[in-house]
Amino acid sequence: MPAILELSGGWNPLVGESVVRAANFYPHGLWLLQQTTGDLFGSFEVTKIVHALLAVIALSSLLSWLAVETGRALGILPIALIYLIVLNPVVSAQALTFYVDGPVYLLSMIFLAELFLAYRTNHRRHDFAAVAAGVLLIGTKLSGLYYAGLIAFLFCAFVVRRWPGLRRWTASTTSVALIGVFVVGFHPFVIQT
Amino acid sequence: MQWSRTAACSLKLGPNSCLMVAFGVLTLSSRFPLIKRISDHLLLFHRDSATLQIFAHTILFIIAIDVVIASLVRHTDLPTGGWIFAVAMVVGGVAAFLLNRGTAPVNWRHGAVIVVFLVLWAGVVSTLYDTSWDGTA
Protein backbone atom coordinates (compact mmCIF):
# COMPACT_ATOMS: atom_id res chain seq x y z
CA MET A 1 0.00 0.00 0.00
CA PRO A 2 2.75 2.55 0.76
CA ALA A 3 4.24 1.82 -2.68
CA ILE A 4 0.85 2.48 -4.33
CA LEU A 5 0.57 5.77 -2.48
CA GLU A 6 4.12 6.64 -3.56
CA LEU A 7 3.24 5.95 -7.20
CA SER A 8 0.12 8.07 -6.85
CA GLY A 9 2.20 10.84 -5.31
CA GLY A 10 4.38 11.05 -8.42
CA TRP A 11 7.18 8.53 -7.77
CA ASN A 12 8.56 7.29 -11.07
CA PRO A 13 10.47 4.03 -10.43
CA LEU A 14 12.43 4.50 -13.67
CA VAL A 15 14.22 7.63 -12.52
CA GLY A 16 13.82 7.90 -8.76
CA GLU A 17 14.08 5.91 -5.57
CA SER A 18 11.14 5.32 -3.25
CA VAL A 19 11.38 5.97 0.46
CA VAL A 20 9.63 2.60 0.78
CA ARG A 21 12.83 0.58 0.55
CA ALA A 22 11.30 -2.74 -0.56
CA ALA A 23 9.38 -1.01 -3.35
CA ASN A 24 12.65 -0.31 -5.16
CA PHE A 25 13.33 -3.99 -5.71
CA TYR A 26 9.98 -5.59 -6.50
CA PRO A 27 7.90 -5.65 -9.72
CA HIS A 28 5.08 -3.13 -9.50
CA GLY A 29 2.68 -4.12 -12.28
CA LEU A 30 -0.20 -4.74 -9.88
CA TRP A 31 0.66 -1.59 -7.94
CA LEU A 32 0.33 0.43 -11.15
CA LEU A 33 -3.14 -1.03 -11.70
CA GLN A 34 -4.13 -0.17 -8.13
CA GLN A 35 -2.63 3.31 -8.45
CA THR A 36 -4.55 4.16 -11.64
CA THR A 37 -7.85 2.72 -10.38
CA GLY A 38 -7.35 4.40 -7.00
CA ASP A 39 -6.72 7.74 -8.69
CA LEU A 40 -9.76 7.30 -10.94
CA PHE A 41 -12.22 6.28 -8.23
CA GLY A 42 -10.73 8.34 -5.42
CA SER A 43 -10.28 5.44 -2.99
CA PHE A 44 -7.37 3.07 -2.62
CA GLU A 45 -9.41 0.67 -0.49
CA VAL A 46 -11.64 -0.10 -3.47
CA THR A 47 -8.58 -1.25 -5.45
CA LYS A 48 -8.56 -4.42 -3.35
CA ILE A 49 -11.29 -5.53 -5.74
CA VAL A 50 -8.46 -6.80 -7.93
CA HIS A 51 -8.69 -10.06 -5.92
CA ALA A 52 -12.36 -10.50 -6.86
CA LEU A 53 -11.74 -9.54 -10.49
CA LEU A 54 -8.99 -12.13 -10.83
CA ALA A 55 -11.10 -14.75 -9.01
CA VAL A 56 -13.95 -14.24 -11.50
CA ILE A 57 -11.52 -14.60 -14.41
CA ALA A 58 -9.87 -17.70 -12.90
CA LEU A 59 -13.25 -19.30 -12.24
CA SER A 60 -14.34 -18.69 -15.82
CA SER A 61 -11.09 -19.93 -17.34
CA LEU A 62 -10.97 -23.10 -15.25
CA LEU A 63 -14.66 -23.92 -15.79
CA SER A 64 -14.25 -23.45 -19.55
CA TRP A 65 -11.04 -25.49 -19.63
CA LEU A 66 -12.56 -28.38 -17.70
CA ALA A 67 -15.69 -28.33 -19.89
CA VAL A 68 -13.55 -28.40 -23.03
CA GLU A 69 -11.33 -31.19 -21.70
CA THR A 70 -14.21 -33.40 -20.58
CA GLY A 71 -16.41 -32.56 -23.58
CA ARG A 72 -19.62 -32.52 -21.55
CA ALA A 73 -21.62 -30.32 -19.20
CA LEU A 74 -20.06 -29.97 -15.77
CA GLY A 75 -21.79 -31.48 -12.74
CA ILE A 76 -22.02 -29.85 -9.35
CA LEU A 77 -18.99 -31.67 -7.90
CA PRO A 78 -16.45 -30.52 -10.53
CA ILE A 79 -17.80 -26.99 -10.11
CA ALA A 80 -17.36 -27.26 -6.34
CA LEU A 81 -13.82 -28.51 -6.85
CA ILE A 82 -12.97 -25.51 -9.04
CA TYR A 83 -14.41 -23.14 -6.42
CA LEU A 84 -12.19 -24.76 -3.80
CA ILE A 85 -9.14 -24.35 -6.05
CA VAL A 86 -9.92 -20.70 -6.85
CA LEU A 87 -10.87 -19.70 -3.31
CA ASN A 88 -7.86 -21.44 -1.77
CA PRO A 89 -6.78 -20.30 1.71
CA VAL A 90 -4.19 -17.84 0.36
CA VAL A 91 -6.68 -16.13 -1.95
CA SER A 92 -9.39 -16.08 0.74
CA ALA A 93 -7.06 -14.79 3.44
CA GLN A 94 -5.71 -11.96 1.29
CA ALA A 95 -9.05 -10.91 -0.25
CA LEU A 96 -9.21 -7.75 1.88
CA THR A 97 -5.53 -6.87 1.86
CA PHE A 98 -2.91 -5.37 -0.45
CA TYR A 99 -0.83 -8.55 -0.46
CA VAL A 100 -0.03 -10.03 -3.87
CA ASP A 101 0.35 -13.79 -3.24
CA GLY A 102 -3.36 -14.43 -3.93
CA PRO A 103 -3.21 -12.61 -7.30
CA VAL A 104 -0.05 -14.59 -8.18
CA TYR A 105 -1.91 -17.87 -7.57
CA LEU A 106 -4.96 -16.71 -9.53
CA LEU A 107 -2.92 -15.40 -12.45
CA SER A 108 -0.98 -18.68 -12.58
CA MET A 109 -4.27 -20.57 -12.89
CA ILE A 110 -5.54 -18.17 -15.57
CA PHE A 111 -2.28 -18.37 -17.55
CA LEU A 112 -2.31 -22.17 -17.49
CA ALA A 113 -6.01 -22.48 -18.34
CA GLU A 114 -5.87 -19.97 -21.19
CA LEU A 115 -2.81 -21.67 -22.70
CA PHE A 116 -4.67 -24.98 -22.74
CA LEU A 117 -7.87 -23.35 -24.01
CA ALA A 118 -5.86 -21.85 -26.88
CA TYR A 119 -4.45 -25.28 -27.58
CA ARG A 120 -7.78 -27.11 -27.44
CA THR A 121 -10.08 -24.59 -29.13
CA ASN A 122 -7.65 -22.84 -31.48
CA HIS A 123 -9.36 -19.49 -30.77
CA ARG A 124 -7.09 -16.45 -31.02
CA ARG A 125 -8.85 -14.76 -28.08
CA HIS A 126 -7.31 -17.33 -25.74
CA ASP A 127 -3.84 -16.51 -27.10
CA PHE A 128 -4.38 -12.86 -26.19
CA ALA A 129 -5.85 -13.80 -22.81
CA ALA A 130 -2.80 -15.99 -22.08
CA VAL A 131 -0.47 -13.12 -22.99
CA ALA A 132 -2.42 -10.73 -20.75
CA ALA A 133 -2.36 -13.18 -17.82
CA GLY A 134 1.35 -13.92 -18.29
CA VAL A 135 2.29 -10.24 -18.40
CA LEU A 136 0.29 -9.53 -15.25
CA LEU A 137 1.79 -12.59 -13.53
CA ILE A 138 5.34 -11.40 -14.20
CA GLY A 139 4.47 -7.88 -13.11
CA THR A 140 2.91 -8.94 -9.83
CA LYS A 141 5.74 -10.55 -7.91
CA LEU A 142 9.26 -11.82 -8.51
CA SER A 143 8.10 -15.40 -8.01
CA GLY A 144 5.54 -14.74 -10.77
CA LEU A 145 8.45 -14.72 -13.21
CA TYR A 146 9.44 -18.22 -12.10
CA TYR A 147 5.85 -19.48 -12.17
CA ALA A 148 5.29 -18.05 -15.67
CA GLY A 149 8.44 -19.78 -16.94
CA LEU A 150 7.54 -23.05 -15.27
CA ILE A 151 3.96 -23.04 -16.59
CA ALA A 152 5.10 -22.16 -20.11
CA PHE A 153 7.73 -24.92 -19.99
CA LEU A 154 5.31 -27.57 -18.72
CA PHE A 155 2.71 -26.57 -21.28
CA CYS A 156 5.30 -26.65 -24.04
CA ALA A 157 6.47 -30.10 -22.97
CA PHE A 158 2.85 -31.30 -23.09
CA VAL A 159 1.93 -30.02 -26.51
CA VAL A 160 5.12 -29.69 -28.48
CA ARG A 161 4.76 -32.94 -30.39
CA ARG A 162 1.13 -32.71 -31.40
CA TRP A 163 0.18 -29.10 -31.96
CA PRO A 164 0.12 -27.42 -35.38
CA GLY A 165 -0.18 -24.02 -33.68
CA LEU A 166 3.28 -24.21 -32.14
CA ARG A 167 4.40 -21.08 -34.00
CA ARG A 168 1.52 -19.05 -32.54
CA TRP A 169 2.28 -20.40 -29.08
CA THR A 170 5.90 -19.37 -29.47
CA ALA A 171 4.76 -15.88 -30.48
CA SER A 172 2.46 -15.69 -27.44
CA THR A 173 5.03 -16.76 -24.87
CA THR A 174 7.72 -14.60 -26.43
CA SER A 175 5.32 -11.65 -26.19
CA VAL A 176 4.78 -12.45 -22.52
CA ALA A 177 8.52 -12.42 -21.87
CA LEU A 178 9.19 -9.23 -23.86
CA ILE A 179 6.25 -7.19 -22.53
CA GLY A 180 6.48 -8.64 -19.01
CA VAL A 181 10.20 -8.04 -18.58
CA PHE A 182 11.01 -5.07 -20.82
CA VAL A 183 7.77 -3.02 -20.63
CA VAL A 184 5.89 -3.71 -17.39
CA GLY A 185 8.91 -5.09 -15.56
CA PHE A 186 11.44 -2.56 -16.91
CA HIS A 187 11.87 -1.68 -13.28
CA PRO A 188 13.25 -3.72 -11.56
CA PHE A 189 14.12 -6.50 -14.05
CA VAL A 190 16.16 -4.32 -16.44
CA ILE A 191 17.23 -1.40 -14.27
CA GLN A 192 18.26 -3.44 -11.25
CA THR A 193 20.23 -6.08 -13.13
CA MET B 1 -12.39 -1.28 13.99
CA GLN B 2 -13.15 -4.53 15.74
CA TRP B 3 -16.19 -5.45 13.65
CA SER B 4 -14.28 -5.22 10.40
CA ARG B 5 -11.48 -7.32 11.85
CA THR B 6 -14.04 -9.96 12.82
CA ALA B 7 -15.53 -9.88 9.33
CA ALA B 8 -12.10 -10.23 7.78
CA CYS B 9 -11.23 -13.19 9.99
CA SER B 10 -14.52 -14.84 9.04
CA LEU B 11 -13.59 -14.36 5.42
CA LYS B 12 -10.25 -15.99 6.08
CA LEU B 13 -11.65 -19.07 7.76
CA GLY B 14 -15.08 -19.43 6.27
CA PRO B 15 -15.25 -19.76 2.50
CA ASN B 16 -13.87 -23.21 1.90
CA SER B 17 -15.88 -24.96 4.59
CA CYS B 18 -19.01 -22.95 3.73
CA LEU B 19 -18.66 -23.87 0.07
CA MET B 20 -18.31 -27.55 0.88
CA VAL B 21 -21.44 -27.44 3.02
CA ALA B 22 -23.39 -25.38 0.47
CA PHE B 23 -22.61 -27.66 -2.46
CA GLY B 24 -23.25 -30.73 -0.31
CA VAL B 25 -26.67 -29.40 0.71
CA LEU B 26 -27.53 -28.52 -2.90
CA THR B 27 -26.52 -31.96 -4.09
CA LEU B 28 -28.27 -33.94 -1.37
CA SER B 29 -31.43 -31.81 -1.26
CA SER B 30 -32.20 -31.82 -4.95
CA ARG B 31 -35.36 -33.77 -4.26
CA PHE B 32 -36.93 -30.59 -2.80
CA PRO B 33 -38.43 -28.48 -5.65
CA LEU B 34 -37.21 -25.07 -4.46
CA ILE B 35 -33.66 -26.22 -3.77
CA LYS B 36 -33.64 -28.10 -7.05
CA ARG B 37 -34.63 -24.90 -8.89
CA ILE B 38 -31.81 -22.98 -7.18
CA SER B 39 -29.40 -25.79 -7.94
CA ASP B 40 -30.46 -25.87 -11.61
CA HIS B 41 -30.00 -22.10 -11.95
CA LEU B 42 -26.52 -22.33 -10.39
CA LEU B 43 -25.56 -25.15 -12.73
CA LEU B 44 -26.83 -23.28 -15.80
CA PHE B 45 -24.85 -20.20 -14.77
CA HIS B 46 -21.62 -22.16 -14.38
CA ARG B 47 -22.13 -24.06 -17.63
CA ASP B 48 -22.58 -20.83 -19.59
CA SER B 49 -18.95 -20.74 -20.74
CA ALA B 50 -19.63 -18.19 -23.49
CA THR B 51 -20.89 -15.47 -21.15
CA LEU B 52 -18.33 -16.25 -18.46
CA GLN B 53 -15.46 -16.09 -20.94
CA ILE B 54 -16.58 -12.85 -22.54
CA PHE B 55 -16.85 -11.10 -19.18
CA ALA B 56 -13.58 -12.64 -17.96
CA HIS B 57 -11.70 -11.61 -21.12
CA THR B 58 -13.10 -8.09 -20.93
CA ILE B 59 -11.85 -7.65 -17.36
CA LEU B 60 -8.53 -9.32 -18.12
CA PHE B 61 -7.82 -7.19 -21.21
CA ILE B 62 -8.73 -3.99 -19.38
CA ILE B 63 -6.38 -4.59 -16.44
CA ALA B 64 -3.53 -5.88 -18.64
CA ILE B 65 -3.78 -2.90 -21.01
CA ASP B 66 -3.95 -0.56 -18.01
CA VAL B 67 -0.71 -1.97 -16.61
CA VAL B 68 1.06 -1.82 -19.99
CA ILE B 69 -0.03 1.80 -20.64
CA ALA B 70 0.86 2.82 -17.08
CA SER B 71 4.33 1.29 -17.56
CA LEU B 72 4.91 2.97 -20.94
CA VAL B 73 3.73 6.33 -19.62
CA ARG B 74 6.55 6.22 -17.04
CA HIS B 75 8.97 6.66 -19.94
CA THR B 76 7.32 9.96 -20.88
CA ASP B 77 6.41 13.23 -19.20
CA LEU B 78 2.69 12.50 -19.36
CA PRO B 79 0.70 12.57 -16.10
CA THR B 80 0.16 9.15 -14.47
CA GLY B 81 -3.34 9.53 -13.02
CA GLY B 82 -6.65 7.77 -13.35
CA TRP B 83 -7.03 8.67 -17.04
CA ILE B 84 -4.93 5.60 -17.81
CA PHE B 85 -7.55 3.25 -16.41
CA ALA B 86 -10.31 5.14 -18.24
CA VAL B 87 -8.42 4.69 -21.53
CA ALA B 88 -7.76 1.02 -20.69
CA MET B 89 -11.47 0.43 -20.09
CA VAL B 90 -12.28 1.71 -23.58
CA VAL B 91 -9.38 -0.06 -25.36
CA GLY B 92 -9.77 -3.32 -23.40
CA GLY B 93 -13.53 -3.32 -23.88
CA VAL B 94 -13.21 -2.84 -27.63
CA ALA B 95 -10.47 -5.51 -27.85
CA ALA B 96 -12.58 -8.02 -25.91
CA PHE B 97 -15.59 -7.24 -28.11
CA LEU B 98 -13.62 -7.70 -31.33
CA LEU B 99 -11.87 -10.90 -30.22
CA ASN B 100 -15.03 -12.53 -28.85
CA ARG B 101 -17.31 -11.34 -31.66
CA GLY B 102 -19.40 -14.11 -33.13
CA THR B 103 -18.29 -16.77 -30.64
CA ALA B 104 -21.65 -17.29 -28.92
CA PRO B 105 -24.69 -15.35 -27.72
CA VAL B 106 -24.20 -13.66 -24.37
CA ASN B 107 -26.75 -14.35 -21.64
CA TRP B 108 -27.13 -10.84 -20.23
CA ARG B 109 -28.89 -12.10 -17.10
CA HIS B 110 -25.78 -14.10 -16.27
CA GLY B 111 -23.64 -11.09 -17.14
CA ALA B 112 -25.71 -8.97 -14.76
CA VAL B 113 -25.02 -11.50 -11.97
CA ILE B 114 -21.26 -11.06 -12.48
CA VAL B 115 -21.50 -7.25 -12.55
CA VAL B 116 -23.72 -7.10 -9.45
CA PHE B 117 -21.32 -9.43 -7.59
CA LEU B 118 -18.33 -7.25 -8.47
CA VAL B 119 -20.13 -4.02 -7.53
CA LEU B 120 -21.19 -5.51 -4.19
CA TRP B 121 -17.63 -6.72 -3.59
CA ALA B 122 -16.26 -3.25 -4.39
CA GLY B 123 -18.68 -1.91 -1.79
CA VAL B 124 -17.48 -4.43 0.77
CA VAL B 125 -13.76 -3.78 0.28
CA SER B 126 -14.18 -0.01 0.30
CA THR B 127 -16.45 -0.11 3.35
CA LEU B 128 -14.18 -2.33 5.44
CA TYR B 129 -11.72 0.51 5.76
CA ASP B 130 -9.16 -0.88 8.12
CA THR B 131 -5.77 -1.78 6.76
CA SER B 132 -4.09 -1.96 10.16
CA TRP B 133 -5.06 -5.57 10.80
CA ASP B 134 -3.22 -6.93 7.77
CA GLY B 135 0.02 -5.15 8.55
CA THR B 136 0.08 -2.99 5.42
CA ALA B 137 -0.82 0.35 7.01
Side-chain angles (χ1 to χ4, degrees), chain A residues 32-53:
Chain A
L32 289 173
L33 172 68
Q34 292 178 305
Q35 178 249 315
T36 52
T37 48
D39 280 345
L40 186 65
F41 295 111
S43 163
F44 287 96
E45 291 299 317
V46 82
T47 66
K48 293 173 181 171
I49 197 179
V50 70
H51 298 273
L53 293 175

Side-chain angles (χ1 to χ4, degrees), chain A:
Chain A
M1 184 185 186
I4 300 167
L5 295 176
E6 281 267 290
L7 286 167
S8 182
W11 169 51
N12 185 346
L14 299 180
V15 294
E17 281 207 5
S18 168
V19 293
V20 184
R21 188 167 164 72
N24 292 310
F25 304 103
Y26 293 119
H28 52 270
L30 210 65
W31 297 341
L32 289 173
L33 172 68
Q34 292 178 305
Q35 178 249 315
T36 52
T37 48
D39 280 345
L40 186 65
F41 295 111
S43 163
F44 287 96
E45 291 299 317
V46 82
T47 66
K48 293 173 181 171
I49 197 179
V50 70
H51 298 273
L53 293 175
L54 294 175
V56 166
I57 301 168
L59 186 68
S60 159
S61 300
L62 291 175
L63 284 170
S64 305
W65 180 25
L66 193 59
V68 167
E69 288 289 342
T70 56
R72 54 194 165 93
L74 297 179
I76 205 159
L77 287 178
I79 293 172
L81 179 68
I82 288 177
Y83 264 96
L84 290 176
I85 293 171
V86 170
L87 298 177
N88 63 68
V90 176
V91 172
S92 306
Q94 296 188 354
L96 290 177
T97 75
F98 287 98
Y99 287 115
V100 295
D101 308 271
V104 166
Y105 284 19
L106 291 169
L107 285 164
S108 300
M109 294 175 206
I110 298 166
F111 187 40
L112 182 68
E114 292 293 341
L115 281 175
F116 271 97
L117 279 168
Y119 166 56
R120 294 293 189 202
T121 65
N122 219 22
H123 277 302
R124 186 169 295 173
R125 59 196 169 128
H126 293 301
D127 293 331
F128 283 96
V131 171
V135 168
L136 287 169
L137 177 58
I138 291 174
T140 299
K141 200 181 179 189
L142 187 60
S143 56
L145 186 62
Y146 311 141
Y147 285 135
L150 183 66
I151 290 168
F153 174 77
L154 291 175
F155 175 73
C156 184
F158 182 80
V159 303
V160 71
R161 289 186 183 170
R162 39 187 155 169
W163 191 26
L166 183 62
R167 189 177 296 175
R168 272 178 37 223
W169 175 83
T170 309
S172 300
T173 48
T174 308
S175 307
V176 169
L178 291 177
I179 301 174
V181 174
F182 291 100
V183 179
V184 175
F186 191 79
H187 175 279
F189 296 136
V190 177
I191 284 182
Q192 299 283 344
T193 52

Side-chain angles (χ1 to χ4, degrees), chain A residues 11-12 29 32-33 35-37 45 49 52 60 64 74 76 83-84 87 96-97 99 114 125-126 129 184, chain B residues 11 16 20 27 46-47 52-53 56-57 60 66-67 71 74 80 82 85 100 118 121 125 128-129 131 134:
Chain A
W11 169 51
N12 185 346
L32 289 173
L33 172 68
Q35 178 249 315
T36 52
T37 48
E45 291 299 317
I49 197 179
S60 159
S64 305
L74 297 179
I76 205 159
Y83 264 96
L84 290 176
L87 298 177
L96 290 177
T97 75
Y99 287 115
E114 292 293 341
R125 59 196 169 128
H126 293 301
V184 175
Chain B
L11 265 174
N16 293 97
M20 291 290 279
T27 307
H46 288 92
R47 286 172 180 167
L52 287 173
Q53 278 182 30
H57 284 171
L60 185 61
D66 174 83
V67 170
S71 302
R74 304 279 161 184
T80 56
F85 191 72
N100 286 284
L118 290 173
W121 190 256
V125 293
L128 294 180
Y129 179 80
T131 50
D134 65 15

Side-chain angles (χ1 to χ4, degrees), chain B residues 115-137:
Chain B
V115 172
V116 168
F117 165 76
L118 290 173
V119 169
L120 286 175
W121 190 256
V124 169
V125 293
S126 56
T127 305
L128 294 180
Y129 179 80
D130 182 8
T131 50
S132 58
W133 68 273
D134 65 15
T136 53

